[in-house]
């Protein structure tokens, strides 16, 4: 996006391809806040971010947002900062309501409770096919399947059940209106739709993903940032 006298670009999004930073582009589009994107490409073999991202934030992860002299990392913290600073009440339910409690819950739940299992599931599935001496491969497969069966799949099923139940009663994660909590949940929702079909994925979750993808702001963010779900993390 270019700079103009009336609409000065103040925000830079450090954006990694196929990543969580789509959420930041999406919320900026929803709020109509001007921004520019600095794009980083994952290493095609390791799928990791380039080292240059550590110059923006020591962890070298995406997203990171720079707003004037402020450097903000961690997608939930970024979304909260953006709605508080630029939202004028948009995308946040009124305080003191059940919707506000749900909003805060899902802002934290996405990365704190749900993503770790999606990440573990991805790591174990990679482990199964990782290059290794032929005599080690069966052991790696065995370890991976055992841990998937003991830890990941039962927890994933429990989370899927919980989300389905919640979405039976709520159109969006925090009530009847879309909020920043839905944007925060969208990366995990996309990952579930892509990878959790065999674990009992509810149609409610698929429908919610469709509603998210249909938002014009989501589409604009996608056009600028590229596809979301990666092959890693
Ligand atoms: N909890 C952090 C996770 C950040 C994160 O892991 N980002 C991934 C992209 S989805 C990343 O930068 N991966 C590349 C790497 O680890 O090198 C957030 O929500 O911002």
């Amino acid at each position: 996006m270019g700079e103009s006298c009336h609409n000065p670009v103040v925000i830079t999004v450090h954006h990694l391809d196929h990543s969580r930073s789509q959420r930041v582009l999406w919320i900026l589009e929803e709020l109509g806040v001007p921004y520019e994107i600095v794009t980083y490409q994952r290493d095609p073999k390791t799928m990791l971010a380039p080292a240059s991202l550590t110059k923006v934030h020591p962890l070298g992860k995406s997203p990171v947002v720079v707003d004037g002299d402020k450097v903000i990392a961690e997608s939930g913290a970024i979304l909260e900062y953006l709605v508080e600073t630029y939202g004028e009440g948009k995308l946040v339910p009124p305080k003191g309501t059940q919707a506000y409690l749900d909003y805060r819950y899902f802002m934290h739940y996405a990365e704190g409770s749900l993503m770790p299992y999606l990440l573990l599931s991805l790591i174990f599935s990679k482990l199964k096919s990782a290059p290794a001496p032929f005599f080690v491969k069966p052991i790696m497969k065995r370890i991976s399947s055992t841990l998937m069966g003991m830890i990941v799949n039962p927890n994933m099923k429990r989370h899927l059940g919980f989300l389905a139940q919640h979405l039976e009663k709520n159109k969006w994660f925090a009530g009847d209106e879309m909020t920043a909590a839905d944007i925060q949940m969208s990366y995990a929702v996309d990952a579930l739709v892509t990878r959790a079909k065999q674990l009992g994925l509810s149609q409610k979750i698929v429908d919610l993903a469709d509603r998210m993808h249909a938002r014009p702001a989501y589409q604009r963010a996608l056009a600028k940032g590229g596809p979301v779900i990666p092959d890693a993390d």
Side-chain angles (χ1 to χ4, degrees), residues 117-211:
Y117 289 112
L118 282 161
L119 187 57
L120 279 177
S121 145
L122 194 76
I123 290 169
F124 291 140
S125 74
K126 293 253 167 213
L127 191 69
K128 266 188 190 164
S129 51
F134 74 93
F135 55 90
V136 180
K137 276 197 172 222
I139 302 171
M140 283 168 55
K141 271 192 183 166
R142 186 71 186 267
I143 293 174
S144 159
S145 308
T146 307
L147 292 173
M148 283 295 284
M150 270 173 56
I151 301 168
V152 180
N153 288 344
N155 275 292
M156 285 290 293
K157 283 182 188 162
R158 190 180 292 190
H159 280 271
L160 283 167
F162 161 65
L163 293 173
Q165 232 177 15
H166 185 78
L167 292 172
E168 289 291 335
K169 296 188 217 112
N170 297 274
K171 183 174 175 198
W172 297 90
F173 282 114
D176 293 336
E177 305 290 332
M178 197 196 83
T179 68
D182 296 292
I183 299 180
Q184 175 69 351
M185 281 291 290
S186 64
Y187 187 76
V189 164
D190 281 340
L192 288 174
V193 170
T194 316
R195 301 190 198 129
K197 289 195 181 78
Q198 72 291 358
L199 293 174
L201 180 68
S202 146
Q203 188 58 36
K204 292 276 173 197
I205 298 175
V206 179
D207 293 346
L208 179 67
D210 290 344
R211 277 204 299 285

Side-chain angles (χ1 to χ4, degrees), residues 16 19-20 23 42 47-49 60-63 74-75 111 187 233:
L16 183 67
S19 83
R20 287 164 170 87
R23 298 185 287 201
R42 290 176 185 269
M47 296 304 281
L48 295 177
K61 305 276 179 198
S62 171
E74 198 60 51
S75 38
E111 291 291 324
Y187 187 76
D233 76 67

Side-chain angles (χ1 to χ4, degrees), residues 1 22 43 53 61 63 71 74-75 80 83 85-86 95 100 102 112 125 155 158 163 166 173-174 195 208 221-222:
M1 224 178 250
Q22 152 73 6
D43 180 304
L53 247 180
K61 305 276 179 198
V71 178
E74 198 60 51
S75 38
E80 289 196 46
V83 286
T85 314
Y86 300 104
K95 282 200 171 142
Y100 188 81
D102 289 341
S125 74
N155 275 292
R158 190 180 292 190
L163 293 173
H166 185 78
F173 282 114
R195 301 190 198 129
L208 179 67
L222 203 64

